[in-house]
Amino acid sequence: MDFEKYDVIIVGGGPAGCITGEHIKHGKVLIIEEHQEIGAPLQCAGLISKKGVEELGNPKGCVNKVRGAHIYSKNNHITVGNEEIRACVFERKVMDKDIAIRASKNKNVHFLLKAHGKLLINDNLKTKKLNLSFLKNNSKNDNNDNNKNLYGLSIKHLGNEYKAFPKIIIGADGAKSYLGKSANISGKREILSGAQLEMVNVANIDDDFVYVFYDKKYCKDFFMWIIPMGKDRARVGLCDSGNTYSKLLNFINNHPVASEILKNAVPVEFSVGALPIGYSKSVKNNLMLVGDSAGQVKPLSGGGLYFGAKCAKICGKIVDEYLTNNYDLNYLKNYENLWKKEIGNEIDFGLRFRRIIKRMDNKSMDMLLEFIIKNNLVDVINEKGDMDNPSTVVKDLFKKFFKFKA
């Protein structure tokens, strides 16, 4: 295969990778995907806010619309939401393929499935001819210090191995980003494990509301969910620091509310995934990270599609400007500055409050929900709450709660 013709290679064919490629209008782009099918395997609950759906380009695949959430602690329960549609539940296989198809309308974007990319670093760039050409193509300034550490890719595809030296490599390779780790820019962030079952014959469910459960007995470091998909289907899952499948089965079989909702349900699909909490660098030399690989995820809910789509557009725009104007490689750092300006404060807020929530035991969570009920704060949440920017309401809510506890 002729990899030399590509100016940009994106590793990862999920929404973040495809939207990045879609927004690179100048230069040849190759998106490589390790699986044989875009959108598979499922690694997400598929619940996306209205703003998130718009940011993703209103893709196909919506199977249900929800108006709010039933939130349970061990002994208390509140319902937030009203007649307004707050979010959509997507069939991710359909959605991801639709976004990929849209990216392919950019005639400069090509796809390669069943391909795995590994970063080539420093000493691994041993072919002098390729390396010199690589340096020449990547910067008009031969004295640029970045040139000493430009990266290439080793690409494995159907039993063959190729070396590629594009001007830019973009890692959209998920929470555990092997490209980020290889370049030593992923940092020490928290990675949670997720397990989820799609279940049918779920008859005892309110299709208009998602169900969220906080109970340390079943899940220590995050929460459990039941997301209605309509037509007696639901996704049931949790994220935690380990042993998630056993914890999920325990939740389904023994939680007093969940076991009643799911008492006749039958699993038809099992999926696992990883959730990154926190971020670090997203640009190093000619390598850029986007989406989950860059930690562009909401720490309180684990949602990454809205932030990932916003940042993918920024990434594509910066890369396009770099290719068009023959800028110095340092220009790519504008991507990190811009995305952190856009969503960095919200992520930082989520990280701070996640540390608070992790310290709260079941009794404290019961007290929080009781405080919300007694002070009629559900109406405030309905009016000011924002799935994508929870700081708009959570900050004041917790201030009042801790003042009340004191």
Side-chain angles (χ1 to χ4, degrees):
M1 295 189 64
D2 181 14
F3 290 100
E4 290 188 39
K5 67 181 180 181
Y6 293 108
D7 300 291
V8 181
I9 297 181
I10 300 172
V11 180
C18 288
I19 291 172
T20 301
E22 179 186 16
H23 285 79
I24 300 173
K25 304 299 184 182
H26 302 88
K28 293 286 186 180
V29 178
L30 177 65
I31 299 175
I32 67 173
E33 167 58 43
E34 65 176 325
H35 300 105
Q36 63 190 24
E37 180 182 7
I38 297 290
L42 176 67
Q43 294 181 317
C44 172
L47 180 69
I48 308 172
S49 69
K50 287 197 302 183
K51 285 195 299 183
V53 174
E54 292 174 4
E55 199 70 52
L56 288 162
N58 296 297
K60 297 177 182 177
C62 178
V63 294
N64 192 30
K65 296 180 180 181
V66 297
R67 299 188 283 112
H70 300 299
I71 302 173
Y72 293 84
S73 62
K74 182 178 180 181
N75 296 304
N76 281 321
H77 160 234
I78 63 170
T79 297
V80 297
N82 46 33
E83 295 303 313
E84 179 186 349
I85 298 297
R86 305 277 176 161
C88 297
V89 183
F90 274 81
E91 192 69 74
R92 281 295 304 271
K93 294 175 186 177
V94 176
M95 187 192 88
D96 287 21
K97 284 181 182 178
D98 190 53
I99 294 173
I101 290 169
R102 198 177 69 218
S104 72
K105 302 295 183 183
N106 177 350
K107 295 182 179 180
N108 293 325
V109 175
H110 299 159
F111 285 83
L112 183 66
L113 303 180
K114 290 291 289 183
H116 181 268
K118 181 181 178 182
L119 210 61
L120 295 175
I121 308 172
N122 297 331
D123 292 340
N124 292 326
L125 297 172
K126 294 179 179 178
T127 307
K128 291 184 178 179
K129 182 178 178 181
L130 283 173
N131 196 14
L132 290 173
S133 173
F134 182 45
L135 296 177
K136 183 178 179 181
N137 288 337
N138 271 276
S139 179
K140 60 185 179 182
N141 181 3
D142 289 339
N143 294 319
N144 188 343
D145 287 339
N146 284 333
N147 287 345
K148 298 175 184 177
N149 295 301
L150 290 172
Y151 298 113
L153 279 174
S154 170
I155 299 174
K156 291 184 178 180
H157 176 59
L158 301 179
N160 297 310
E161 186 170 354
Y162 308 88
K163 289 186 178 181
F165 302 93
K167 294 178 181 178
I168 298 174
I169 298 166
I170 298 174
D173 53 334
K176 296 183 179 180
S177 184
Y178 294 107
L179 296 189
K181 286 182 179 178
S182 297
N184 198 29
I185 59 173
S186 290
K188 294 182 179 179
R189 58 189 181 191
E190 184 181 10
I191 302 289
L192 297 178
S193 298
Q196 180 174 259
L197 289 170
E198 180 180 326
M199 308 189 80
V200 298
N201 300 332
V202 185
N204 302 315
I205 192 169
D206 182 351
D207 280 340
D208 292 332
F209 289 79
V210 300
Y211 295 72
V212 178
F213 303 85
Y214 292 93
D215 191 333
K216 300 286 185 179
K217 178 180 177 181
Y218 300 94
C219 178
K220 183 171 69 75
D221 289 328
F222 212 58
F223 58 82
M224 298 79 69
W225 62 83
I226 300 176
I227 299 176
M229 302 175 68
K231 299 181 180 179
D232 298 333
R233 292 193 302 158
R235 293 192 183 115
V236 185
L238 60 80
C239 282
D240 209 348
S241 52
N243 200 24
T244 51
Y245 181 59
S246 296
K247 291 176 181 178
L248 177 59
L249 293 181
N250 182 40
F251 167 68
I252 291 170
N253 293 322
N254 297 311
H255 188 279
V257 176
S259 60
E260 182 63 26
I261 294 172
L262 303 169
K263 64 181 178 181
N264 296 315
V266 177
V268 293
E269 183 176 354
F270 172 60
S271 56
V272 296
L275 174 63
I277 305 292
Y279 61 88
S280 52
K281 287 181 64 176
S282 56
V283 179
K284 186 175 181 180
N285 304 321
N286 65 322
L287 172 66
M288 307 170 78
L289 302 180
V290 68
D292 283 8
S293 64
Q296 293 158 351
V297 172
K298 291 175 276 187
L300 295 181
S301 69
L305 287 167
Y306 174 61
F307 282 179
K310 288 181 77 72
C311 296
K313 292 175 183 178
I314 297 170
C315 184
K317 178 177 181 292
I318 292 298
V319 170
D320 199 54
E321 290 171 354
Y322 169 79
L323 294 174
T324 304
N325 296 288
N326 196 29
Y327 286 136
D328 185 274
L329 200 60
N330 283 315
Y331 186 78
L332 299 182
K333 294 178 181 178
N334 287 311
Y335 159 63
E336 184 161 316
N337 296 332
L338 287 172
W339 80 252
K340 288 182 177 178
K341 182 179 179 181
E342 186 75 22
I343 64 170
N345 286 340
E346 193 64 40
I347 294 179
D348 289 340
F349 165 83
L351 291 171
R352 290 195 300 272
F353 272 81
R354 171 161 165 72
R355 288 192 288 270
I356 293 172
I357 291 173
K358 282 183 71 174
R359 293 197 297 267
M360 293 176 67
D361 57 16
N362 282 345
K363 182 179 179 182
S364 297
M365 193 61 71
D366 281 338
M367 290 176 64
L368 174 61
L369 266 59
E370 183 179 357
F371 174 78
I372 292 171
I373 295 166
K374 287 185 175 180
N375 289 274
N376 300 313
L377 294 175
V378 169
D379 289 340
V380 176
I381 296 171
N382 288 338
E383 180 184 351
K384 298 182 179 180
D386 185 340
M387 281 180 65
D388 300 307
N389 299 285
S391 62
T392 55
V393 67
V394 172
K395 187 183 298 183
D396 289 340
L397 177 63
F398 270 77
K399 281 183 180 178
K400 292 175 181 177
F401 173 62
F402 286 117
K403 185 177 180 180
F404 164 78
K405 282 187 69 177

